Amino acid sequence: MMIRSTCILQQQAPDHFINKFKYFSSFLLHYSVPPSSPIEETGEDSASHLLSLLSLPNWQKNPRLKTLIPSISPSHITSLFNDNPNLKPQTALSFFNILSQRSNFRPSVESFASLLTILIKNRFLNVAEKIRISMVKACETDDDARFVLGFLRKMNADDDEDSECKFKLSIRCYNTLLMCLSRFSMIDDMKYVFLEMLDNEIMPNIYTYNSMVNGYCKLGKVDAAGLYVTKIAQAGLSPDTHTYTSLILGHCRNKDVDSAHKVFDVMPKKGCCRNEVSYTNLIHGFCEENRIDEALKLFHRMGDDNCFPTVRTFTVLISALSKSGRTAEAWALYSKMSEKSCEPNAHTYTVLIDAMCKEKKLNEARKLLYGMEAKGVEGTVVTYNALIDGFCKEGKVESAFEMLKRMEKKRLKPNVRTYNGLIGGYCKGDNIHKAMALLDKMMKMKLSPTIITYNLLINGQCKHNHVDSAYRLIGLMKDNGVLPDEWTYSALIEALCKRGSVEEAHLLLKEKGIKVNEVTYTTLINGYFQTGKADLSMGLFKEMLTNDFSPNSWTYNVLIHGLCKEDTIQEALMLIGKMIKIGFEVEITTYTIFIEHLLKSFDFFEAHKLFNQLGASGLKPDVCTYTSFILAYCTQGMIKEAEDMMNEMIQKGVKPDTATYTVFIDACCHVGQINRGFDFLKRMMDAGCEPSQHTYAIILKHLLRKNYKSNTGIDNAIPVNTVWKIMEFDDAIELFSEMVKQGCELKVNTFDALTKGLCKERRFEESLKLVNHMLTNGISPNESIYTSLVNCSCYLKMFDKALSLVNNMVENGILVDLESYKLLICGLYEEGKHEKGKEVFCGLLDGYNSDEVVWTILLDGLLKRGLVKRYFELVGVMEEKGCHLNRYTYQMFFFVCKKKWSGSGSGTHTMEIEGSWFIRSFFKACPFSDEGKSVNMGNLVSLFQY
């Protein structure tokens, strides 16, 4: 093995590296990883403490008991009873009962089992029967059910071993166990228990058979359930309401609601009364197949059988109506609940809250949550997740975190979906470093990230053009056992296309053998059009059709837009014909593409002709359609016509967006009507439409032009892209003054837009003046302003200023962007301020994802700047601080270590590194054997070949 390893290395590395590897290899062959020995809380001290108390006379009245009770957990009970099997059964039972009376104490199945051992050993069989029934009913998870099943089997075994703990199962215990297993859909175990009953000559009764029927029906296995219905008749029994109700459920689960309805209809003929569950199961079946009107008819018939809707009946219908957009009917049904004296439960409220969140009525949803809790109905994790997801989708992450805090105060544990919602919110709000920090938090809480988690994060990294980090995340997810799907790579392909690397994106598909879909094809087609390669776009479209992928409306719109851009209108029109022929309805987007093309050549007649056809086609123009006309009119100086078009869009209920208002502002100012331009700015802000950086650049452009003309008498056009280079602080003050005159409120976003523009041009002093001005107006800088200032000061090598700003951000609870930290730390090291750089790095290690810290600051920062020694030094700092790095990140570290150590072949080293570094990264980077004790040398060699 070692000879082969050395041969492989001789082809790649200089002699000094091979010699070092031989030394380490000889060590590795004898190396084994000791088995982990986590310190486990055994509860022995607590058990002995409790035993000493229970040994006292009149222990029930001992004041120490009252003090201890709140801190006693089910695990303490289990340890006490297991370690002291000779404890008096009366004492054990009495102590158990005292604890069970506590409202916040819920005995575990293990604690029940430990008590049963004492009771059965002392032949307290009557009470033991009641306790074991309670134990079965106490199962909360399938793991609990498996534990109970194993424990009862030992109790029921025929062998003589542990005979004092034998206690044969009764028919009641068997039936309770079958119902428990049915609850967790453990159908194979149910079948085994049923056969075990027959072997033990326990005659099944109707409850036994009904449990078996219900278990199979819950899984939609009606045929198998039918065999047990046959057995009912063979046993001389008759199917009852529960039997038929289970069959209704089974058919509904099998997506066969008509067969369920036949069972429902036959029940009275068989002498079985239909109950609330029979109705609710069938109503739910109709709702699942979106036959809501039939479900409502059934709901109104319940009184015919003297049945009354339960909270579940109402909830099923409210949920179906909400999902179908029939919210008014859903709320009417909710109001009817109180009339029927049926109080909504947490599930009912959750359905309504979720519907309100989907309708973006977030404040109303929050009020409903507070209202339900005021009534004593506690929200569940699902309830809070609906609100968290709703707030995050609307970019209100702070409100989502308020919900998270409230949820945690109520001792509800966040789950993967909770974190996926928050991660999605941060990614949408351009806070990828905060999203990555949540990934860390998930892992610490032992929550396994899903494909959705990773896809959200990869999308977030790609949105910021951090393609390298996106690739690394794919490596991380694979290392954590999550396989990428086509959507994972779709984000990467889109990011590569956006930055013009379409060939790289296309090559990625072929190299990785990624399963392509309509979205992938459309992204590449669009990418090739954007880079002026229309022939390749059309070639891909033909390939798409050849591979039996059906283009969607987005695909056709991309093609039409691309062809119009290439001025090949006839081909674009042919595509529209094809869309209509294959059954696609031509959308407003498609019409708008053609209208935009016509307006670019100012062909208002044809554009209006097409615009007027929209109504006949049943389509409504959207904001893009109207803005295309407004832009064309304004470009031609036809302000009145543009304003008429804007008034029409508002009358038709179409809200102007930032682009619409900015076009008007530019047009008004261009013809010298600056006051009117500010009037449109006011209208824009009053409508809740936030001006963009481009909006402010447009206004400043015209203010600069006006001032230049008044000073020189020359009307000189100023390009908008030069505004941030030439504007002065006084120009900003003039902008603010005009805004205030017009009644526009100065907000932090105004200062943010200006600061960003100035900082991009490295105009730090002017930016600082702006910040001082906003502070005098009582406005605090936001995270974006701080980030712009930090990055600008780093680019200007003003690291003391940058450090001061970073400290200010930390003091104000702002999580500094890792890109800013990268600029600062790398800058300090390049300036020779090593200790200061290390100090800043040590200060940031809390609150970020450790792997992303390595990728952003060490790999993309220090290493790319050639600061290799500092790179390894800071990895060491992270290890000393207890930062957890994924094995995938250690692999990257190891490969860098190997590459640098190999040198350039000249015999000189590019760095100095101790052998311990190499060994540590070596072990952390490589996969271990199944036993987890020895290193797989074949895998280690493959790492060297990487």
Side-chain angles (χ1 to χ4, degrees), residues 31-39 928 930-934:
Y31 183 92
S32 65
V33 180
S36 59
S37 55
I39 299 171
F928 290 92
D930 292 338
E931 293 79 16
K933 294 182 180 180
S934 60

Side-chain angles (χ1 to χ4, degrees), residues 132-171:
R132 73 179 175 184
I133 295 290
S134 298
M135 175 181 69
V136 177
K137 289 179 178 178
C139 292
E140 292 184 345
T141 65
D142 51 358
D143 284 338
D144 285 348
R146 286 188 190 93
F147 172 85
V148 166
L149 183 60
F151 183 76
L152 291 179
R153 277 179 178 159
K154 285 181 184 176
M155 195 184 289
N156 203 47
D158 287 325
D159 55 73
D160 292 330
E161 187 184 344
D162 243 355
S163 58
E164 61 182 10
C165 289
K166 300 299 175 202
F167 182 26
K168 287 287 183 180
L169 302 189
S170 63
I171 182 68

Side-chain angles (χ1 to χ4, degrees), residues 271-295:
C272 288
C273 296
R274 295 184 288 224
N275 62 14
E276 288 82 359
V277 182
S278 315
Y279 272 97
T280 303
N281 283 351
L282 187 54
I283 286 168
H284 190 235
F286 278 125
C287 289
E288 285 291 291
E289 291 195 13
N290 206 27
R291 293 160 66 175
I292 300 171
D293 290 328
E294 290 173 80

Side-chain angles (χ1 to χ4, degrees), residues 421-466:
L422 293 166
I423 285 169
Y426 271 143
C427 289
K428 186 175 181 178
D430 295 338
N431 282 311
I432 185 63
H433 58 295
K434 292 182 181 178
M436 288 293 292
L438 283 179
L439 176 67
D440 239 26
K441 196 171 180 182
M442 279 182 78
M443 305 291 258
K444 285 173 184 172
M445 290 182 69
K446 308 294 182 189
L447 293 172
S448 299
T450 62
I451 184 73
I452 294 169
T453 318
Y454 286 111
N455 282 354
L456 285 168
L457 290 166
I458 288 163
N459 261 302
Q461 295 285 4
C462 290
K463 192 177 170 185
H464 283 266
N465 201 25
H466 298 164

